[in-house]
Amino acid sequence: MLSLQITALIDKELKKYPADQRQSAVMAALRFVQDEKGWIASADMADVAAYLGMPQMAVYEVATFYHMYNLKPMGKHTLTVCTNLSCQLCGSGDTLEHLNKRLGIGLGEVTPDGKYGLREGECMGACVDAPLLTINNKKMCGRLTGEKIDRILAELDKQ
Amino acid sequence: MINIEIDGKQIQTENGSTVIEAAHQAGISIPHFCYHKKLSIAANCRMCLVQVEKAPKPLPACATPVTEGMKVFTHSEQAVKAQKGVMEFLLVNHPLDCPICDQGGECMLQDMSVGYGGGQSRYHEEKRVVLAKDIGPLVSAEEMSRCINCTRCVRFGVEIAGQMELGQAFRGEHAEIVSFVSGTVDSELSGNMIDLCPVGALTSKPFRYKARSWELSRRRSVSAHDSLGSGLAVQTKNNRVLRVLPIENEDINECWLSDKDRFAYEGLNTADRLTKPMIKQDGKWQEVEWQVALEYAANGLRHIANGAGAEQIGALATANSTLEELYLLQKLMRGIGSDNVDFRLRQSDFSGDVKQQGAPWLGMSVADISRADRLLVVGSFLRKDHPLLAARIRRAARKGAQINIIHSADDDLLMHVAHKAIVAPDALVEALTQVSKALASEKQGQSASGEAGAIARSLAGGERVAVLLGNFAQQHPQAAQLQALAQQIAALSNGKFGFLGEAANSVGGYLAQAVPGTKGMNAAAMLATPRKAYVLLNVEPELDCADPQQAVAAMQAADLVIALSAYKHHATEYADVLLPIAPYTETSGTFVSTEGRVQSFKGAVKPLGETRPAWKVLRVLGNLLKVDGFGQDTSEAVRDEVLQGVDVSAKLNNAIGGVEAKAAPASSGLQRVADVPIYATDAVVRRSAPLQATADAAIPQVRMHGEELKKLGVQSGEVVKVGQGQGSVQLFAVADDKLPRGVVRVAAGHAATVALGAMFGTITVERA
Amino acid sequence: MKNLIDFFKSFLLLELLKGMSVTGKYFFARHVTVEYPEEKTPQSFRFRGLHAQRRYPNGEERCIGCKLCEAVCPALAIKIEVAERADGTRRTTQYDIDLVKCIFCGFCEESCPVDAIVETRIYEYHGENRGDLYYTKAMLLANGDKHEAQIAADRAADAKYR
């Protein structure tokens, strides 16, 4: 079941669209689910579909099409590292290597304690700060070095 | 109209059509995969790229509207280069497994690659792999790597079947066709996805590896499983039906076929086929020669006619027997002096028989349904009883027609229903009366309130109104009143009204006069006051009759039961003679569809074993009983005897007069609502293994309103005991809050519910 | 005049000597006749003799039952029935070649996408009854198993021309 907070948020979103086109809010609805649960389970997609009155399959199509929706648990903090050209030239490889070593996980994996997940991301549109990573698709950290990553992780550890 | 030029040919075409449509009209072929005339335009395969004058790049013909003076080149250097380029990309990830692919030989990609593909691939990297999926017993998705992502199957689901069961998940190179959470595709039209798939990604599961397309011979036939009269291409090899495909006819089934029509053939050659005549002697069944069995049957009938009287003989036939069979059956009965013959086995109200002015039919053409802008469907499990008609209505609804429903169950019709009144069966007449009254007052400018008022307003606002009575309404104990009311409503809204025929020959039965005259007994009366002898044509009494308890009791009490059947069924318990007759693929015959279309067909294969076409068997029985007029040599001669010089359309008439408004008998307790499940309608379908493995063929449940269940102290999902008369069965109870109160929905016609009684009436439910 | 010349020709046995000279010439020439069965002619690696069904080195039969050979056979000598094997693969349940009908055109071999049906170099076989020349799948496979080395070598030799 969708929580009351989520339905309230979806209702707010629905006001932006004509009443007979509720499915316009599907992307926002999925985002709300992911913000609350960290990932989107099939059951959640079915709930979103029921709430918006659209086919479950259509929600699934949207959820799988976009890269930033997590279709499996990706830990409390999902770190997404950009691996596109600009970041690669500025050393995203080192970033990944450092994270691999620190967290003991590879791309697409989650630490055993469920705290961190590591993903590969596409260009985040801030190449000036390359190499980049985002935390839960919300907070962007740029000009990464080994020390800076350690600092970010230390801060996240506290949360 | 717009003038354009394609490949130097001047073409006039309608404004708003696309280049590919204009080209097809002019007989110019443009290669394509994702375009399909019945589906929306996706333009995602890019195979139909053509050169258009003044356009800098090639344009997709399927998505480019025509404009005045447009010049299109479909085979110019630029166009062919573009098409070849697309083809090369399509083949990049397509496996080279044509030799084991069931689509091989009838594959669009294979054909196109001959024309546009290269002899050698330039792609040497690894091909992508898409995992196999299990999407149910009918459609095989074993080799999804073959998929070229044209999304025809997805669009079919959304637009024609009304439910999006397949979708394209993921993106780019990872895109694949999947069902939600690996679910099955349960649509009753799912088989059409096999036809639509331009490659071998979706293929027929029952047909898997059975034959290559070039080995099959093709015979034209007509569907025996519903009243639409869909055209079938029955494909055979070694005297066995291996596949059934649709024959396109825009006025009937368009290019579609319901799963029932498509996969029923799997029930043709089952182990319980009756292949030799059998008679029961001293309680034991013995296989005998035809001559012996026929003489035994004839002597038995003669004995009873001479002794107890011919009126002690009754004949029952199913409504999917051919016109010829039904005609000869009634001729035989009348020849030996009995007027007891009927094919309307599930009907319970025959009071309209004398008041009815002709054969009840659809009241319009099938194509008219697509054109209607207001529909009222009364008492119909529309989707399951008439899958393709439902698809037509669905498309009408998508185009803006208002669909109104009056029924006792509220199944999801997968279309927008404008208004509906869901009432208990005994309130159905009242609900229609309300609508009729509301329409009358609407005419005087007064609006009635409630659902009846809303339905009346909807109908009054229409230009092309259709009122349709479904199977449930025809089987209803007050069917005549429902018919009279439908007639009234149609008249008030200047519309047409008609019946959604129950079976392949529901109209043909009337034309063949296989109904009792004024002296004779109808199906219900024949079973209520048991006869001494019965002749059964295709009938499995416990599954095909309105009241299985009564039917079986009557059969067991009879001295002589002659069963003409393709299968060894439960008749072995009470019959005395079993005569093996040919199902519709093995005999020639005629069906008259619900719109009055007379369609004759020939046998696709030879009869199995010593099976004989029923018309021949009846003919010989007529000769043995020395009845006049049994000298026909061909089924065509029989047909001509019925139809030659007869204007069929003049015989079709739904008008009914002089029906008294009678209140329904006061009912106490719970009322039964019985549907005949989609894959339980006739003997062949009931034996088709793949159809019986679908979700629609699951064991019936007892469905009741949640509050009613609570009153009984039963939880949804628990087993309950439902009883009617002396019989009872134990089934799972399911809460269904869409059902009206006081109603118990239990399917009829299914082996699990044969112990129950009539399809309507009171029923008891208690904790098991 | 002509009669006179003819008379002298026959009188002096000139024609006989002319004929005998041909005989004498070939008497000492190199022999070309092969003394079959003691001697045999050389064979091409494309020789089209008795059919065989091949297997992969792991023992799996090659034939996938595509029925292209059946479709292409101009003499309608091949009969195939196909079913899904327990492991889900497409396999023949029946693969018969009626060698009485076969005209040894080699189309079956050419149409085969997996090089399963081949024509070997064997031409010395016989049947005492009509049915003996009706080769079933088991017989064809046995044939292939027996001569695989030769078959493989012949295919390899022909590969560059295909």
Side-chain angles (χ1 to χ4, degrees):
Chain A
M1 279 301 290
L2 299 177
S3 71
L4 285 175
Q5 287 90 325
I6 293 181
T7 52
L9 283 168
I10 298 177
D11 287 340
K12 208 171 142 195
E13 194 73 16
L14 279 169
K15 289 196 187 110
K16 298 178 186 169
Y17 306 107
D20 61 340
Q21 288 175 26
R22 287 171 68 88
Q23 63 176 11
S24 306
V26 63
M27 287 189 64
L30 289 172
R31 197 175 75 227
F32 300 143
V33 171
Q34 178 157 319
D35 286 350
E36 189 183 279
K37 307 191 177 182
W39 67 296
I40 306 165
S42 311
D44 297 320
M45 294 182 209
D47 290 339
V48 167
Y51 195 76
L52 297 178
M54 59 192 283
Q56 298 175 341
M57 195 58 231
V59 178
Y60 187 72
E61 282 187 341
V62 174
T64 54
F65 187 90
Y66 293 101
H67 191 79
M68 286 159 120
Y69 293 126
N70 294 335
L71 300 180
K72 56 178 189 178
M74 283 310 295
K76 191 176 164 203
H77 308 292
T78 312
L79 307 179
T80 312
V81 181
C82 173
T83 55
N84 281 182
L85 190 58
S86 306
C87 282
Q88 221 170 52
L89 291 173
C90 294
S92 66
D94 298 338
T95 312
L96 268 179
E97 207 173 303
H98 190 80
L99 281 167
N100 287 352
K101 238 182 261 164
R102 274 291 313 266
L103 302 172
I105 53 172
L107 283 174
E109 292 174 1
V110 188
T111 50
D113 59 359
K115 203 150 183 202
Y116 294 103
L118 195 56
R119 293 196 67 168
E120 189 178 21
E122 306 300 329
C123 182
M124 290 155 187
C127 305
V128 65
D129 285 334
L132 288 159
L133 70 75
T134 57
I135 303 163
N136 287 339
N137 294 331
K138 293 274 188 279
K139 195 177 167 207
M140 189 184 284
C141 311
R143 297 176 193 264
L144 296 171
T145 57
E147 285 160 41
K148 194 162 179 193
I149 295 168
D150 289 342
R151 235 180 305 138
I152 293 165
L153 289 177
E155 216 166 287
L156 288 175
D157 273 334
K158 279 184 233 156
Q159 286 176 20
Chain B
M1 294 300 262
I2 273 185
N3 298 301
I4 65 164
E5 189 189 305
I6 302 181
D7 293 345
K9 210 169 166 182
Q10 296 294 331
I11 293 165
Q12 269 216 333
T13 183
E14 253 169 76
N15 198 357
S17 64
T18 57
V19 172
I20 204 166
E21 283 166 359
H24 284 176
Q25 268 170 32
I28 298 167
S29 78
I30 296 178
H32 61 272
F33 295 112
C34 73
Y35 166 79
H36 190 275
K37 60 185 174 187
K38 292 281 174 192
L39 301 176
S40 64
I41 289 158
N44 57 10
C45 75
R46 316 308 283 185
M47 192 63 212
C48 62
L49 289 175
V50 290
Q51 186 184 356
V52 178
E53 193 185 58
K54 288 178 198 144
K57 288 193 277 186
L59 299 176
C62 70
T64 308
V66 290
T67 50
E68 185 63 46
M70 192 181 218
K71 275 190 182 166
V72 180
F73 305 95
T74 66
H75 290 89
S76 67
E77 199 183 328
Q78 188 195 42
V80 170
K81 194 180 166 202
Q83 288 159 1
K84 284 192 167 171
V86 169
M87 192 71 211
E88 188 169 9
F89 273 120
L90 285 175
L91 291 177
V92 154
N93 274 319
H94 193 80
L96 275 173
D97 63 349
C98 302
I100 59 156
C101 178
D102 270 341
Q103 193 88 354
E106 52 182 8
C107 174
M108 284 178 79
L109 189 68
Q110 213 179 17
D111 295 348
M112 266 0 145
S113 67
V114 173
Y116 300 93
Q120 285 277 315
S121 177
R122 288 191 282 163
Y123 181 81
H124 299 292
E125 290 78 10
E126 258 176 58
K127 294 197 175 213
R128 85 180 182 135
V129 173
V130 183
L131 294 180
K133 282 145 195 111
D134 184 4
I135 55 171
L138 303 178
V139 182
S140 162
E142 284 295 316
E143 281 95 4
M144 289 310 280
S145 300
R146 294 177 187 153
C147 176
I148 57 167
N149 291 299
C150 69
T151 67
R152 273 185 179 186
C153 53
V154 178
R155 281 176 284 147
F156 172 81
V158 176
E159 291 156 24
I160 309 291
Q163 61 199 130
M164 190 179 183
E165 292 181 297
L166 290 180
Q168 189 178 42
F170 305 102
R171 177 164 46 121
E173 206 195 352
H174 306 284
E176 54 180 302
I177 299 295
V178 293
S179 56
F180 186 63
V181 220
S182 311
T184 52
V185 173
D186 294 330
S187 166
E188 63 281 355
L189 300 173
S190 65
N192 293 303
M193 293 177 186
I194 302 167
D195 290 349
L196 285 174
C197 187
V199 295
L202 300 179
T203 50
S204 164
K205 217 171 226 181
F207 181 65
R208 188 171 167 79
Y209 295 163
K210 287 274 168 65
R212 308 305 310 254
S213 60
W214 59 80
E215 297 179 286
L216 298 166
S217 344
R218 209 176 143 94
R219 301 275 182 277
R220 216 168 231 284
S221 190
V222 180
S223 165
H225 308 292
D226 72 14
S227 58
L228 186 64
S230 308
L232 305 183
V234 177
Q235 300 196 314
T236 65
K237 185 190 154 193
N238 296 340
N239 208 36
R240 237 183 122 98
V241 179
L242 286 185
R243 183 164 70 162
V244 168
L245 294 178
I247 286 182
E248 204 173 322
N249 189 335
E250 214 39 41
D251 296 333
I252 311 173
N253 54 323
E254 299 163 277
C255 54
W256 313 124
L257 211 53
S258 66
D259 288 356
K260 187 155 79 160
D261 294 339
R262 188 185 297 267
F263 295 108
Y265 74 88
E266 283 282 318
L268 287 171
N269 292 311
T270 51
D272 63 344
R273 263 301 286 276
L274 185 63
T275 49
K276 279 198 87 158
M278 294 171 87
I279 56 176
K280 200 195 243 161
Q281 274 179 330
D282 309 324
K284 273 195 190 138
W285 282 102
Q286 281 180 337
E287 290 187 350
V288 293
E289 294 303 312
W290 265 107
Q291 191 65 25
V292 179
L294 286 169
E295 268 168 19
Y296 185 90
N299 286 339
L301 285 176
R302 196 178 297 130
H303 180 72
I304 291 189
N306 293 343
E311 71 280 359
Q312 280 295 336
I313 303 174
L316 296 169
T318 55
N320 55 4
S321 311
T322 65
L323 182 82
E324 291 80 354
E325 292 163 7
L326 290 169
Y327 175 73
L328 288 182
L329 179 70
Q330 65 84 24
K331 194 168 180 183
L332 178 74
M333 294 311 289
R334 297 206 159 109
I336 58 173
S338 170
D339 202 16
N340 305 335
V341 57
D342 209 342
F343 70 97
R344 301 159 298 175
L345 304 179
R346 292 203 181 99
Q347 195 166 318
S348 53
D349 176 20
F350 293 89
S351 66
D353 267 6
V354 280
K355 297 157 189 159
Q356 169 81 33
Q357 294 178 4
W361 66 300
L362 190 61
M364 61 201 89
S365 72
V366 170
D368 281 343
I369 294 181
S370 310
R371 289 191 279 268
D373 62 353
R374 299 286 191 273
L375 280 111
L376 172 62
V377 182
V378 182
S380 177
F381 298 95
L382 194 59
R383 251 180 78 201
K384 302 298 171 188
D385 289 345
H386 308 283
L388 284 177
L389 279 172
R392 261 190 200 267
I393 296 177
R394 185 173 299 127
R395 222 168 44 250
R398 279 173 80 92
K399 282 193 294 189
Q402 289 183 11
I403 315 296
N404 302 288
I405 302 287
I406 299 179
H407 194 18
S408 293
D410 189 11
D411 291 338
D412 189 358
L413 296 177
L414 305 175
M415 62 180 97
H416 178 69
V417 175
H419 307 287
K420 59 187 169 193
I422 306 299
V423 297
D426 62 353
L428 211 55
V429 169
E430 178 56 25
L432 272 185
T433 314
Q434 293 290 338
V435 173
S436 172
K437 279 183 185 156
L439 255 176
S441 56
E442 190 78 27
K443 289 227 149 172
Q444 285 148 5
Q446 292 168 326
S447 268
S449 61
E451 277 307 324
I455 293 174
R457 267 191 301 286
S458 163
L459 294 180
E463 280 176 15
R464 295 174 303 279
V465 179
V467 182
L468 297 167
L469 293 160
N471 296 2
F472 186 77
Q474 292 161 55
Q475 293 153 0
H476 195 275
Q478 293 161 295
Q481 284 188 59
L482 291 175
Q483 185 181 353
L485 284 165
Q487 174 174 290
Q488 215 169 32
I489 291 170
L492 284 169
S493 49
N494 295 324
K496 296 176 180 170
F497 93 105
F499 292 90
L500 297 164
E502 190 188 325
N505 224 358
S506 289
V507 174
Y510 283 94
L511 299 181
Q513 299 144 38
V515 284
T518 43
K519 284 179 293 179
M521 288 175 132
N522 54 50
M526 264 187 262
L527 295 172
T529 47
R531 305 285 88 194
K532 282 210 161 27
Y534 288 99
V535 180
L536 303 177
L537 176 60
N538 282 324
V539 182
E540 293 180 74
E542 65 280 7
L543 298 171
D544 287 323
C545 292
D547 187 340
Q549 281 176 359
Q550 203 182 51
V552 172
M555 292 304 137
Q556 272 160 352
D559 293 342
L560 175 71
V561 175
I562 301 166
L564 283 76
S565 167
Y567 299 97
K568 278 180 213 160
H569 55 88
H570 280 283
T572 47
E573 286 162 24
Y574 42 73
D576 300 278
V577 191
L578 285 173
L579 302 176
I581 57 166
Y584 71 104
T585 48
E586 299 171 16
T587 177
S588 54
T590 304
F591 288 134
V592 185
S593 80
T594 187
E595 60 169 343
R597 187 185 291 265
V598 179
Q599 298 188 104
S600 294
F601 55 91
K602 293 240 191 295
V605 289
K606 275 189 229 130
L608 185 74
E610 288 188 25
T611 303
R612 294 288 172 268
W615 70 267
K616 285 190 183 171
V617 176
L618 288 165
R619 199 210 110 158
V620 177
L621 264 181
N623 292 343
L624 287 173
L625 287 165
K626 304 210 164 49
V627 183
D628 282 344
F630 275 81
Q632 302 90 347
D633 288 334
T634 58
S635 72
E636 287 78 12
V638 184
R639 180 195 61 200
D640 292 344
E641 199 173 317
V642 191
L643 294 178
Q644 197 145 59
V646 173
D647 179 9
V648 172
S649 60
K651 292 221 165 189
L652 307 175
N653 196 338
N654 287 324
I656 190 166
V659 177
E660 291 164 41
K662 247 192 298 184
S667 56
S668 56
L670 298 163
Q671 297 175 54
R672 180 173 181 190
V673 168
D675 57 318
V676 180
I678 179 166
Y679 302 135
T681 48
D682 62 71
V684 181
V685 168
R686 284 193 281 259
R687 286 169 176 83
S688 166
L691 288 180
Q692 292 309 318
T694 57
D696 274 327
I699 298 202
Q701 297 161 328
V702 178
R703 304 182 83 88
M704 293 170 78
H705 195 282
E707 294 293 316
E708 296 279 354
L709 272 186
K710 212 180 271 175
K711 256 196 261 171
L712 295 169
V714 177
Q715 296 273 319
S716 188
E718 280 182 351
V719 175
V720 290
K721 189 174 152 191
V722 278
Q724 263 182 309
Q726 278 85 49
S728 69
V729 291
Q730 297 204 347
L731 296 168
F732 285 105
V734 174
D736 182 354
D737 289 349
K738 288 161 101 182
L739 282 172
R741 294 293 187 88
V743 155
V744 183
R745 182 170 167 187
V746 192
H750 193 282
T753 60
V754 286
L756 295 176
M759 291 171 77
F760 290 85
T762 51
I763 186 166
T764 59
V765 182
E766 54 190 81
R767 299 191 62 152
Chain C
M1 188 63 198
K2 193 171 179 281
N3 285 347
L4 199 67
I5 292 172
D6 283 350
F7 173 78
F8 276 106
K9 268 188 181 170
S10 33
F11 185 75
L12 297 173
L13 300 175
L14 276 177
E15 268 125 345
L16 183 73
L17 289 175
K18 204 170 171 188
M20 288 305 285
S21 74
V22 173
T23 310
K25 198 167 89 197
Y26 279 96
F27 191 79
F28 298 103
R30 200 171 64 88
H31 293 216
V32 288
T33 311
V34 175
E35 298 283 324
Y36 182 84
E38 285 79 24
E39 290 177 320
K40 284 172 188 174
T41 52
Q43 279 177 320
S44 158
F45 48 74
R46 289 183 189 159
F47 188 86
R48 300 198 297 262
L50 181 65
H51 301 71
Q53 281 250 24
R54 295 178 70 197
R55 293 180 192 273
Y56 288 108
N58 66 0
E60 177 65 277
E61 58 185 276
R62 281 178 179 248
C63 180
I64 46 170
C66 70
K67 302 197 184 183
L68 288 179
C69 49
E70 188 188 38
V72 80
C73 181
L76 306 180
I78 306 181
K79 166 134 179 68
I80 305 175
E81 284 301 329
V82 172
E84 194 170 344
R85 202 168 62 181
D87 62 357
T89 56
R90 183 187 172 106
R91 298 289 166 194
T92 55
T93 52
Q94 184 188 2
Y95 189 109
D96 301 342
I97 296 184
D98 189 346
L99 293 175
V100 179
K101 287 185 188 165
C102 179
I103 57 165
F104 298 91
C105 64
F107 282 4
C108 51
E109 185 174 0
E110 215 160 306
S111 66
C112 186
V114 289
D115 282 348
I117 184 74
V118 291
E119 295 201 53
T120 62
R121 296 181 172 211
I122 305 162
Y123 55 91
E124 293 162 311
Y125 58 92
H126 77 297
E128 283 163 20
N129 297 302
R130 179 186 277 257
D132 291 353
L133 290 175
Y134 193 83
Y135 269 55
T136 60
K137 184 180 173 187
M139 294 157 85
L140 292 166
L141 275 171
N143 230 349
D145 292 345
K146 200 168 154 196
H147 302 286
E148 176 59 28
Q150 179 71 62
I151 295 169
D154 287 347
R155 295 318 109 177
D158 194 26
K160 60 183 165 191
Y161 305 109
R162 296 217 283 174

